[in-house]
Amino acid sequence: MRFTSQTSSGDVTEQLFTLDGAFGEVPGVLWTPAGAEGARALILMGHGGGQHKKAPGIVARAQRFAAECGYAVAALDVPGHGDRPKTEEHHRIIGELRSRAQTGGNVTAVVAEFHALLSTQTVVEWAAALDALQALPHIGPGPVGYWGMSMGCGLGVPFLAAEPRIRAAVLGLNGAETSAQAAAQVKIPVEFLVQWDDELVPRAASLALFDILASTEKTLHANPGKHAEIPAFELDSTLRFFARHLT
Amino acid sequence: MRFTSQTSSGDVTEQLFTLDGAFGEVPGVLWTPAGAEGARALILMGHGGGQHKKAPGIVARAQRFAAECGYAVAALDVPGHGDRPKTEEHHRIIGELRSRAQTGGNVTAVVAEFHALLSTQTVVEWAAALDALQALPHIGPGPVGYWGMSMGCGLGVPFLAAEPRIRAAVLGLNGAETSAQAAAQVKIPVEFLVQWDDELVPRAASLALFDILASTEKTLHANPGKHAEIPAFELDSTLRFFARHLT
């Protein structure tokens, strides 16, 4: 893990880093409270499809996790996203998604194929990132949470099924098609967000994914609005959910 | 409105009262912060079927609303419940409910009939109670919220459709069969609780009721467990919901 830059904004320090992974270099970002010393909880965030490690929705949440809760927060570019090259396979699938979306075709099977392809890498890369991050003196081996919506949920579910260090997760905006088998192995507390009028994920598929999660404590929050219209008060709820389970 | 007793427990004063209603005397209870003076928000609570104005689930929540938020909280016995006599019609419907429950029959239509019968009275009685309560010097014409689960939701929805003074409501544990028409007229913010493994209310009926509510802001919270097993953290959420909309 090599840090390549460090900036501070208000109460939060942002460090860009590069991780040498099994599938090439992985660009990442770490947010910590300014002047952080000693062990603290860590939240790993998975960005959405077509987005990247510093997408506005990631940054806004990470700032609050770090500034208000004192957590360390990290996000990595998913293969084919952000600063990472797309393979021929990525281009083929994204082309198929675009063409189906334009013709009103069913994109679900293609999204599921894409998530399955990507998660074979992200499960390995995110575990390696946890190793490296928890070796840092201002993070250490504290409790770990995961936050991921949409593709961040589709890739997060197989990660949670494979990674015993995660204690609690906020997931959502994704259906059962891409991760049903893995979801049945998830037993940690989950807060699961559904947009009631999601134009990309069928309501029934979202409810089915929540249903499959094997967690004893899981709580579904559904709100009116489209895919990207999660109401602001849900971020307050996310902070309380992590505070309940990571501290 | 005649007060018949007053007791205090910790930070909360409890007053029993009788309201002279259009359908006979209505016994009620009012909780306020000890020593309350001046205007404050009021929460009206609707109890569940077979329960009464001082059922443990009502009292526990009312204590927190009053002690932690400074609200006035009131609950009335629904006709045929608590200290109120059952009519022949009540006896007939309750008998039918029991016999269908014992033989594994469908109780939904009977519950809907019961709620429809009761709500013709409770809509009138609860509006009269609001008049009387808001005339008290330690309540006044402040914002009003409504809380009702199960039958308290089945009777609450037609009340909310008819009563413009209610600004926000926490509802749940009830399906669309009993109140679909009224639900389509409810436009205030609603927090709606669903027990994912509810043995009394079909999941699809609960989701359908949430779906019908015409509120721009409505948020569904679903948790694993049976009808009576709402997790404790939902009460914290209820307090925050009312704080957001009543203050």
Side-chain angles (χ1 to χ4, degrees), chain A residues 196 203 207 210-211 215-224 233-234 240 244, chain B residues 196 203 207 210-211 215-224 233-234 240 244:
Chain A
W196 203 243
R203 188 186 297 168
L207 298 176
F210 173 73
D211 191 49
S215 315
T216 311
E217 183 185 327
K218 55 182 180 179
T219 186
L220 181 148
H221 287 190
N223 295 287
F233 58 75
E234 285 296 348
R240 287 188 296 262
R244 210 159 71 226
Chain B
W196 202 243
R203 188 186 297 168
L207 298 176
F210 173 73
D211 191 50
S215 314
T216 311
E217 185 185 325
K218 55 181 179 180
T219 187
L220 180 147
H221 288 190
N223 294 287
F233 57 75
E234 285 296 347
R240 287 188 296 263
R244 211 158 69 225

Side-chain angles (χ1 to χ4, degrees), chain B residues 6 69 78 99 124 138 143 172 180 190 199 202 209 235:
Chain B
Q6 175 166 332
C69 310
V78 168
S99 108
V124 177
H138 59 321
V190 171
E199 76 282 17
L209 179 51
L235 179 49

Side-chain angles (χ1 to χ4, degrees), chain A residues 123-147:
Chain A
V123 165
V124 176
E125 290 175 349
W126 294 355
L130 279 191
D131 292 340
L133 290 161
Q134 292 202 309
L136 297 171
H138 61 320
I139 300 183
V144 185
Y146 178 82
W147 183 97

Side-chain angles (χ1 to χ4, degrees), chain B residues 121-142:
Chain B
Q121 294 190 24
T122 50
V123 164
V124 177
E125 290 175 349
W126 295 355
L130 280 190
D131 292 340
L133 289 162
Q134 293 202 309
L136 296 172
H138 59 321
I139 300 183

